[in-house]
């Protein structure tokens, strides 16, 4: 293996030197002298540098456009994630001789029923126990106040009142920000509704004619590169489907583990806690920490610090099982991304786009990893894409039809 690598490196260096020699034949003497005066390593570093700068500039422009168009990009990404889950279900129904329209309708209604049911159940349980939660929070604060005054820290009531007054003053100073945020609730709610409708419509059209949409997108690229783009896209789509399925499994196990622990310990609001854990598990690392902290807080307010410590142990146990068993064995196999890569992707996504960035960071990194690896491996050079079976799709009859994209066809 080492000998083959050495021979390949030697051939590369000989070709590079031969190319340099051929290029110097057409240069002026001054240019040739200047070129020969620059070491080969410096020329190689300069070649890599301008290419890396170009790639970095393109990535920066793409990120800037995505941030500016986030009200459109985020619903479309949500639609792609939902489609990765619903397309196999719709295809399963069609393989069992269901009509396509009925399969698509059933998939959409099932998704809306599950999501709506979970949210309705969680909100109803929280609303029903909100008054008791507020009363228990006040009681817990009074108990904490008594412990601080009479405990080992020897805090005086004047100091405690001074700290509370400083907190109230800070809140009053930031009231302008809070008020402006309250004024923007209507606009944000309108954006949320528009984004939700866009996500639902995009999901519906992907279910109806996802292959036609993909082939139209591939047709935008140059003819010689369409086979590579098509193969990479299909590999990325498979990875995305695996990610969604495995993430739902991991989120379900987390929700059952923490929710069942809260129920056995007698912690109120166990069902809303389980629902929030399920939804929060789709945001790696951040969601698990936030929902686990909420479960511990509810246990502390209602059941005291002993039950809260036991609840903390349950949360840590479930997260350790997820991090050391589920993630390496299931998620790692599905998305092929190292845990360090997951942490870096989530941190970068959170820095750039907050919670949506953390939500989409891992699937984007997994899909990009698979697509780049597929193109770099070169398997697309030996195969041909499938026939254009979706060319007559009713949704795309107004789009100019193109012949099947085979590698090696002459460019127009």
């Amino acid at each position: 293996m080492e000998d083959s690598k050495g021979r390949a490196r030697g051939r590369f260096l000989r070709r590079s030197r031969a190319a340099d020699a051929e290029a110097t034949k057409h240069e002026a003497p001054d240019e040739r002298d200047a070129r020969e005066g620059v070491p080969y390593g410096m020329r190689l570093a300069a070649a890599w540098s301008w290419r890396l700068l170009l790639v970095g500039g393109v990535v920066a422009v793409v990120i800037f456009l995505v941030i500016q168009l986030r009200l459109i990009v985020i619903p479309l990404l949500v639609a792609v994630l939902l489609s990765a889950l619903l397309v196999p279900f719709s295809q399963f129904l069609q393989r069992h001789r269901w009509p396509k329209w009925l399969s698509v309708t059933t998939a959409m209604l099932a998704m809306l029923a599950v999501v709506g049911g979970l949210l309705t159940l969680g909100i109803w349980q929280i609303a029903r126990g909100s008054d008791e939660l507020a009363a228990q929070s006040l009681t817990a604060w009074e108990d904490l106040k008594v412990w601080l005054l009479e405990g080992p820290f020897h805090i005086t009531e004047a100091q405690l009142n001074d700290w509370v007054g400083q907190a109230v003053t800070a809140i009053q100073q930031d009231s302008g920000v809070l008020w402006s945020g309250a004024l923007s609730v209507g606009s944000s709610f309108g954006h949320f509704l528009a984004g939700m409708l866009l996500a639902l419509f995009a999901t519906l059209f992907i279910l109806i004619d996802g292959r036609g949409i993909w082939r139209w997108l591939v047709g935008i690229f140059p003819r010689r590169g369409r086979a590579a783009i098509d193969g990479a896209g299909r590999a990325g789509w498979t990875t995305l489907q695996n990610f969604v399925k495995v993430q739902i499994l991991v989120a379900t196990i987390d929700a059952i583990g923490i929710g069942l622990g809260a129920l056995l310990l007698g912690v109120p609001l166990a069902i809303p806690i389980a629902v929030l854990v399920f939804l929060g598990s789709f945001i790696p690392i951040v969601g698990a920490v936030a929902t686990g902290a909420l479960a511990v807080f509810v246990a502390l307010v209602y059941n005291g610090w002993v039950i809260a410590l036991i609840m903390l142990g349950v949360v840590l146990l479930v997260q350790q099982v997820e991090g050391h068993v589920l993630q390496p064995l299931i998620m790692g196999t599905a998305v092929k991304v190292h845990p360090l890569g997951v942490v870096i992707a989530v941190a970068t996504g959170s820095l750039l786009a907050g919670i949506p960035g953390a939500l989409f960071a891992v699937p984007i990194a997994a899909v990009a990893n698979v697509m780049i690896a597929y193109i770099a491996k070169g398997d697309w050079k030996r195969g041909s894409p499938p026939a254009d079976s979706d060319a007559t799709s009713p949704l795309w009859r107004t789009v100019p039809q193109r012949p099947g994209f085979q590698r090696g066809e002459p460019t127009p």
Side-chain angles (χ1 to χ4, degrees):
M1 179 65 71
E2 296 295 334
D3 293 340
S4 62
K5 289 183 178 179
R7 288 194 297 270
R9 179 175 177 80
R11 289 195 298 269
F12 172 75
L13 291 176
R14 287 193 295 273
R15 286 196 299 268
S16 300
R17 290 166 184 167
D20 291 343
E22 183 66 24
T24 56
K25 292 179 181 179
H26 305 284
E27 293 178 348
D30 294 339
E31 295 178 354
R32 191 179 303 117
D33 293 339
R35 181 180 180 87
E36 292 175 355
V38 180
Y40 172 74
M42 182 63 68
R43 296 199 301 271
L44 182 63
W48 273 101
S49 298
W50 74 259
R51 287 175 171 84
L52 289 176
L53 287 175
L54 180 61
V55 172
V58 172
V59 172
V61 170
V62 171
I63 293 176
F64 174 78
L65 292 177
V66 168
I67 294 175
Q68 295 300 315
L69 301 175
R70 59 188 178 275
L71 297 179
I72 298 176
V73 173
I74 292 177
L76 292 180
L77 292 177
V78 171
V80 172
L81 286 179
L82 293 177
S83 301
L85 176 65
L86 298 180
V87 165
F89 179 56
S90 176
Q91 292 176 347
F92 171 79
L93 296 179
Q94 294 177 43
R95 287 195 300 269
H96 286 74
R97 298 183 180 181
W98 284 46
K100 186 173 183 178
W101 68 269
L102 184 58
S103 302
V104 172
T105 304
T106 303
M108 290 291 295
L109 292 179
M111 183 265 297
L112 293 176
V114 171
V115 175
L118 288 176
L119 292 177
T120 301
L121 179 61
I123 293 173
W124 176 66
Q125 290 281 339
I126 292 175
R128 191 178 67 172
S130 59
D131 295 337
E132 185 179 359
L133 178 62
Q136 289 291 335
S137 299
L138 291 176
T139 303
W141 163 248
E142 293 297 332
D143 294 339
L144 176 62
K145 184 178 177 180
V146 171
W147 182 78
L148 290 175
L149 294 175
E150 301 177 357
F153 295 103
H154 303 291
I155 298 175
T156 64
E157 188 170 0
Q159 291 175 331
L160 185 60
N161 293 333
D162 184 50
W163 292 340
V164 173
Q166 291 177 2
V168 172
T169 303
I171 294 175
Q172 291 176 350
Q173 290 176 352
D174 295 336
S175 60
V177 178
L178 298 175
W179 178 248
S180 62
L183 291 178
S184 63
V185 167
S187 177
S188 300
F189 185 70
H191 291 160
F192 173 77
L193 288 180
M196 185 177 62
L197 292 177
L198 178 59
L200 291 177
F201 276 110
T203 304
L204 178 62
F205 280 105
I206 293 175
L207 288 175
I208 295 175
D209 192 32
R211 292 182 179 178
I213 296 174
W214 172 244
R215 296 188 69 85
W216 177 77
L217 291 174
V218 172
I220 298 176
F221 291 88
R223 191 181 302 274
R224 293 181 182 274
R226 292 175 191 170
I229 297 298
D230 179 70
R234 293 177 186 271
W237 178 251
T238 301
T239 299
L240 185 62
Q241 289 180 327
N242 293 336
F243 168 80
V244 173
K245 295 174 184 177
V246 171
Q247 190 60 50
I248 289 179
L249 175 62
V250 172
T252 303
I253 294 175
D254 288 349
I256 292 176
I258 295 179
L260 186 61
L263 185 63
L264 293 178
L265 291 174
V267 178
L269 305 177
I271 294 178
I273 289 174
V275 172
L276 291 177
V277 169
F278 177 81
L279 297 177
S281 296
F282 287 91
I283 303 177
I285 302 174
V286 179
V289 172
T291 54
L294 177 63
V296 175
F297 171 76
V298 174
L300 178 63
V301 169
Y302 277 93
N303 304 90
W305 63 272
V306 177
I307 301 298
L309 288 178
I310 299 176
M311 190 70 230
L312 178 61
V314 172
V315 171
L316 292 178
L317 176 63
V318 172
Q319 292 182 358
Q320 289 299 314
V321 171
E322 175 191 348
H324 292 86
V325 178
L326 299 180
Q327 293 286 352
L329 297 182
I330 303 178
M331 183 64 73
T333 304
V335 303
K336 298 180 178 61
V337 177
H338 194 273
L340 178 60
V342 173
V343 174
I344 294 176
V346 172
T348 305
S350 303
L351 181 64
L352 293 176
I355 294 179
L359 173 62
F360 297 114
V362 176
I364 289 176
V367 171
N369 178 46
V370 171
M371 293 178 69
I372 293 173
Y374 178 87
I375 294 176
K377 190 182 297 184
D379 291 342
W380 53 275
K381 299 178 181 179
R382 297 182 292 273
S384 0
D388 192 0
S389 59
D390 297 309
T392 58
S393 173
L395 294 178
W396 295 101
R397 286 176 182 170
T398 58
V399 178
Q401 302 298 322
R402 303 187 181 203
F405 42 93
Q406 297 288 341
R407 186 174 179 271
E409 290 180 353
T411 55

